[in-house]
């Protein structure tokens, strides 16, 4: 198992120089990949291109580039560009986002996300393989019929076969990830539940005559280092409540459904009711400690090392960490210092656990 670092979003009060400092520290420590996110603020390719010129060895991944935000051809152009300027270090993570962002921000209907994803990946691959991009699909027709368009070929040569990843939560999307791409970007992955999710990925791999060998399983895992795991869970409650309670609508929240499949049906309903009623503190308090503990790394370095073994045994191949400051750490300099310390703790814990790649 390798380590990655999820830098999340830039903005909302954080300093891009802190992202850069963490990225360079991860590069120095031998982390395998940095991931940058986007929603409706900072975009991931700009951050990754900026980091590409200021790091040396670590891979750079989009987690994610939103499918409704760009044409597949534009995504292929961006991927090939970042891969080229970084010397072959780019990983392309894609996702459909959610209906609120897709329709409210990008003006793209969210209907039939799996079929749209399949066509999108097909076209991105055509372009990255430098084949003439001609496609006759339900969502994409290239060139447009009865017009002057031509089936064009990407003019730049990607440095390598760029790995493709899908962010997937539901069973059908997990199967699609196994069928179409090289890795799965996971969220709220618990070692105790991973087999159920990987069963769907494996079914997708079997469709195309492949196994899980070589398939990259990449959860983003919040990390808080401290003496008291109960206290360490507190900084993660806001993130968990937002996703389980408020990400999407009551009728369409993929993360809430995941929590239900994991056995937290009553708690998931309570968190959602409270969050949608704008009782955010109560929603945070209603997230079960067990849910946070199973999907995070909390506590002492020894406890974290034990959990790393569990993640590795569950099939995780790249464990991407998201450092959180412990309670009481609020100053930007303190937050950065603690995040840097966390990166080093993870390297030592992985070595102690004996499951590093």
């Amino acid at each position: 198992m390798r380590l990655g670092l999820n830098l999340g979003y830039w903005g909302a009060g954080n300093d891009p120089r802190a992202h850069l400092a963490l990225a360079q520290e991860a590069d120095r420590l031998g982390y395998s990949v940095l991931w940058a996110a986007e929603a409706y603020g900072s975009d991931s390719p700009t951050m990754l291109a900026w980091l590409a010129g200021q790091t040396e060895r670590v891979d750079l991944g989009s987690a994610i580039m939103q499918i409704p935000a760009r044409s597949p051809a534009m995504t292929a152009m961006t991927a090939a560009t970042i891969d080229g300027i970084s010397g072959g270090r780019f990983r392309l993570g894609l996702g459909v986002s959610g209906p609120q962002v897709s329709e409210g921000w990008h003006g793209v209907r969210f209907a039939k996300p799996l079929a749209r994803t399949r066509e999108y990946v097909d076209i991105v691959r055509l372009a990255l393989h430098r084949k003439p991009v001609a496609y006759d699909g339900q969502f994409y027709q290239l060139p447009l019929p009865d017009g002057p368009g031509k089936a064009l070929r990407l003019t730049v040569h990607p440095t390598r076969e760029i790995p493709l990843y899908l962010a997937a939560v539901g069973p059908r999307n997990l199967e699609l990830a196994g069928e179409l791409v090289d890795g799965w970007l996971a969220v709220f992955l618990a070692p105790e539940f991973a087999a159920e999710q990987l069963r769907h990925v494996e079914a997708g791999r079997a469709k195309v005559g492949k196994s899980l060998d070589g398939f990259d399983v990449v959860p983003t895992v919040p990390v808080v280092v401290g003496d008291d795991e109960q206290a360490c869970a507190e900084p993660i409650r806001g993130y968990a409540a937002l996703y389980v309670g408020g990400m999407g609508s009551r009728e369409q929240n993929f993360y809430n459904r995941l929590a239900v499949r994991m056995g937290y049906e009553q708690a998931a309903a309570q968190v959602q009711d409270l969050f949608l009623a704008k009782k955010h503190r109560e929603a945070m308090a209603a997230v079960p400690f067990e849910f946070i503990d199973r999907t995070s790394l909390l506590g002492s370095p020894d406890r974290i090392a034990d959990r790393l073994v569990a993640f590795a045994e569950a099939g995780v191949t790249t464990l991407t960490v998201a450092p959180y400051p412990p309670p009481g750490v609020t100053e930007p300099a303190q937050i950065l210092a603690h995040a840097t310390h966390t990166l080093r703790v993870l390297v030592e814990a992985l070595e102690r656990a004996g499951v590093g790649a």
Side-chain angles (χ1 to χ4, degrees):
M1 187 170 69
R2 299 170 296 275
L3 292 175
L5 170 62
N6 194 326
L7 293 165
Y9 312 106
W10 168 73
N14 57 29
D15 188 335
R17 290 173 296 183
H19 282 242
L20 176 59
L22 277 183
Q24 290 175 331
E25 180 66 8
D27 192 21
R28 188 186 69 80
L29 290 170
Y31 277 63
S32 66
V33 60
L34 305 171
W35 301 96
E38 64 181 23
Y40 44 96
S42 60
D43 72 294
S44 60
T46 302
M47 290 300 296
L48 294 169
W50 181 62
L51 294 171
Q54 302 180 84
T55 53
E56 296 179 3
R57 295 171 298 277
V58 67
D59 276 9
L60 306 146
S62 57
I64 56 170
M65 287 172 66
Q66 296 170 334
I67 285 174
R70 303 169 183 85
S71 73
M74 184 70 244
T75 290
M77 291 166 61
T78 302
T81 302
I82 299 177
D83 194 59
I85 65 175
S86 66
R89 293 189 283 139
F90 183 65
R91 306 186 192 185
L92 176 56
L94 297 169
V96 291
S97 189
Q100 291 177 324
V101 173
S102 184
E103 299 194 10
W105 188 245
H106 298 301
V108 175
R109 293 294 181 193
F110 191 74
K112 300 183 179 179
L114 298 182
R116 185 185 298 274
T117 297
R118 182 182 294 279
E119 292 189 11
Y120 198 95
V121 170
D122 283 348
I123 297 167
V124 168
R125 276 228 165 93
L126 273 175
L128 290 177
H129 289 165
R130 302 195 68 252
K131 296 180 179 179
V133 177
Y135 199 84
D136 185 17
Q138 178 182 358
F139 300 98
Y140 300 99
Q141 289 189 316
L142 296 167
L144 289 174
D146 304 320
K150 295 174 61 179
L152 300 174
R153 192 193 308 266
L154 185 68
T155 62
V156 299
H157 293 255
T159 306
R160 62 171 178 170
E161 180 82 15
I162 297 174
L164 268 61
Y165 294 74
L166 276 185
V169 178
R172 291 174 61 206
N173 209 14
L174 290 169
E175 186 171 324
L176 191 71
E179 179 185 351
L180 293 185
V181 296
D182 309 299
W184 166 38
L185 300 174
V187 63
F188 295 125
L189 186 141
E192 299 80 5
F193 188 70
E196 171 62 23
Q197 294 168 291
L198 286 172
R199 179 172 62 85
H200 300 292
V201 176
E202 198 165 14
R205 303 293 284 171
K207 282 185 176 181
V208 290
K210 296 180 180 179
S211 70
L212 287 176
D213 290 344
F215 187 83
D216 202 6
V217 177
V218 190
T220 288
V221 181
V223 184
V224 184
V225 180
D227 297 328
D228 180 350
E229 53 265 24
Q230 291 279 347
C232 287
E234 293 305 305
I236 301 172
R237 289 189 175 279
Y239 154 75
L242 169 63
Y243 275 73
V244 174
M247 195 64 75
S249 64
R250 185 180 294 278
E251 295 75 25
Q252 200 163 29
N253 181 324
F254 309 119
Y255 311 99
N256 189 281
R257 294 175 188 171
L258 172 59
V260 169
R261 290 194 296 273
M262 292 171 65
Y264 297 98
E265 182 174 3
Q266 184 175 348
Q270 183 183 13
V271 171
Q272 186 175 64
D273 288 343
L274 290 167
F275 199 96
L276 295 180
K278 300 190 183 304
K279 298 179 179 179
H280 296 158
R281 290 188 179 277
E282 291 92 333
M284 291 164 59
V287 179
F289 168 76
E290 183 188 66
F291 176 81
I292 297 173
D293 190 35
R294 290 170 68 190
T295 58
S296 307
L297 293 168
L298 307 176
S300 69
D302 285 340
R303 189 175 194 267
I304 287 172
D306 289 342
R307 289 298 287 166
L308 288 175
V309 173
F311 277 100
E313 290 179 345
V316 172
T317 51
T318 302
L319 188 135
T320 297
V321 299
Y324 280 70
V329 175
T330 57
E331 293 297 321
Q334 292 179 321
I335 292 172
L336 176 58
H338 190 274
T340 302
H341 172 68
T342 298
L343 295 185
R344 296 168 185 164
V345 167
L346 264 293
V347 170
E348 294 168 0
L350 186 66
E351 184 176 353
R352 190 179 308 127
V355 293

